[in-house]
Amino acid sequence: MKKHSTVCAGIDTGKRKLDVALAGGGARLEVANSAESHGKLVAWLRQHQVRRVGIEASGGYEQAVVSRLRRDGFIVVVFQPIQVRAYARFHGRRAKNDKIDAALIADCTADAKKIHAAPDPRLEALAAHQTLIDQIVDQIARCKNYRESSRGLQRQFWDDEIKRLRGLFRQQLKQLVAAIRQHGDLAKRLDLIASVDGIALRTAVAILVRVPEIGRNSREQIASLGGLAPYDNDSSEQTGQRHLEGGRKRLRNNVYNAAFAASFHWNAELAALYRRLIAAGKEHKVALVACARKLLIYANAVVARGTPWVSRAAAH
């Protein structure tokens, strides 16, 4: 491992503990994943003059420590698991446990060539609220499944529960939109995203809070963040089917569901794209994924331009 001018550390995150290692070998630390122990972690990192910390996204268990480290002035790089696995494969490192993973993340952090700015801290709380809304939607879907196989009193119970959850969904979405509109710049960004034909307010909110990079990244980068960029599976001997990999799962679900309706009812450009792909022999789901990718690209474009969506059909 080459010497790096910036001292870097890696953190392997668990529900109850954090394993920490310095890049290039050396000191290690194990602490509880709790607010009190996060203070001990900060002191240890400062003692070792660490400036940059890498951490792997771990189902939300990393969020509290990431927030604490950023508040205390550390540069924090949050890696997707697929990035860390790819780095390990490239370097031929197959052994795996918490301590080894921490060292691997540390070295990955030291080798990172491009460090993105920390996301807008205002969006962290908004994203947590959006997750709550997504969970309510998941619960509604489960209740609908239960209702399908029930009769009599059971069916009435699930009808009432679905009604209650839908009311809760509307209430929480209204509160989240109100919180966004307290910030003029975020409110403007929300309205631009919602101006795209086929993007309802609920989807616009999800894009705003799940993609802090919206309007600042290229169309390819935005599609990749949304998990909607197709990856090749080719070699000199064969051509494989393109597939989706990585990205932000909840965002992908939101945009895909919006594209499903938009491609048939609300967006003339997406409807034309869908018909063209089906006519070319593409499967229904493949065509819808392409429409979802295009819908997210449209949202990125209007925010980048700072002007609302105008459909080509309306413009001619």
Side-chain angles (χ1 to χ4, degrees), residues 177-190:
V177 171
I180 291 170
R181 293 202 178 282
Q182 290 178 8
H183 308 279
D185 58 328
L186 296 183
K188 180 181 179 181
R189 210 179 305 167
L190 177 66

Side-chain angles (χ1 to χ4, degrees), residues 29-255:
L29 176 70
E30 181 181 309
V31 295
N33 191 1
S34 64
E36 179 182 356
S37 293
H38 292 168
K40 298 176 184 176
L41 169 63
V42 167
W44 186 89
L45 293 172
R46 286 176 173 161
Q47 176 189 345
H48 290 88
Q49 299 181 316
V50 172
R51 293 180 58 198
R52 185 192 300 172
V53 181
I55 189 167
E56 185 180 84
S58 181
Y61 294 129
E62 80 288 351
Q63 292 177 359
V65 67
V66 167
S67 297
R68 172 63 189 270
L69 292 174
R70 283 177 171 156
R71 285 198 306 272
D72 284 11
F74 294 94
I75 299 169
V76 182
V77 183
V78 180
F79 294 105
Q80 294 301 312
I82 190 174
Q83 294 174 292
V84 179
R85 289 198 298 271
Y87 181 86
R89 285 197 300 269
F90 180 78
H91 290 276
R93 295 161 71 167
R94 298 182 180 278
K96 183 174 176 59
N97 61 42
D98 293 345
K99 291 181 173 57
I100 290 173
D101 287 350
L104 175 67
I105 295 167
D107 292 342
C108 186
T109 305
D111 282 349
K113 297 295 187 291
K114 185 176 182 181
I115 306 299
H116 298 284
D120 187 334
R122 297 175 300 175
L123 294 178
E124 290 188 25
L126 298 177
H129 199 160
Q130 176 63 42
T131 297
L132 173 61
I133 290 171
D134 289 341
Q135 290 168 341
I136 293 171
V137 172
D138 292 344
Q139 285 291 93
I140 292 173
R142 290 190 189 96
C143 289
K144 286 182 176 179
N145 288 336
Y146 297 148
R147 182 186 180 279
E148 287 299 313
S149 59
S150 64
R151 296 290 182 273
L153 289 176
Q154 285 182 318
R155 172 162 288 204
Q156 184 60 53
F157 173 84
W158 293 120
D159 283 340
D160 293 344
E161 186 65 6
I162 291 167
K163 182 178 179 180
R164 182 186 72 82
L165 288 168
R166 283 174 172 165
L168 189 59
F169 164 80
R170 291 190 293 269
Q171 177 193 65
Q172 292 301 319
L173 181 60
K174 183 177 179 180
Q175 290 178 8
L176 179 52
V177 171
I180 291 170
R181 293 202 178 282
Q182 290 178 8
H183 308 279
D185 58 328
L186 296 183
K188 180 181 179 181
R189 210 179 305 167
L190 177 66
D191 290 337
L192 287 169
I193 297 169
S195 74
V196 177
D197 290 347
I199 296 184
L201 182 60
R202 170 191 166 190
T203 306
V205 169
I207 292 172
L208 175 69
V209 303
R210 299 276 186 220
V211 197
E213 305 88 346
I214 197 78
R216 301 200 307 268
N217 283 17
S218 70
R219 56 190 288 154
E220 294 81 11
Q221 290 169 326
I222 287 297
S224 180
L225 289 172
L228 294 165
Y231 289 90
D232 296 348
N233 184 25
D234 298 345
S235 71
S236 59
E237 300 294 329
Q238 64 179 9
T239 300
Q241 186 177 16
R242 274 51 177 167
H243 61 281
L244 303 181
E245 192 168 279
R248 299 167 187 173
K249 182 178 179 181
R250 287 192 179 278
L251 171 67
R252 181 171 65 244
N253 291 342
N254 285 132
V255 178

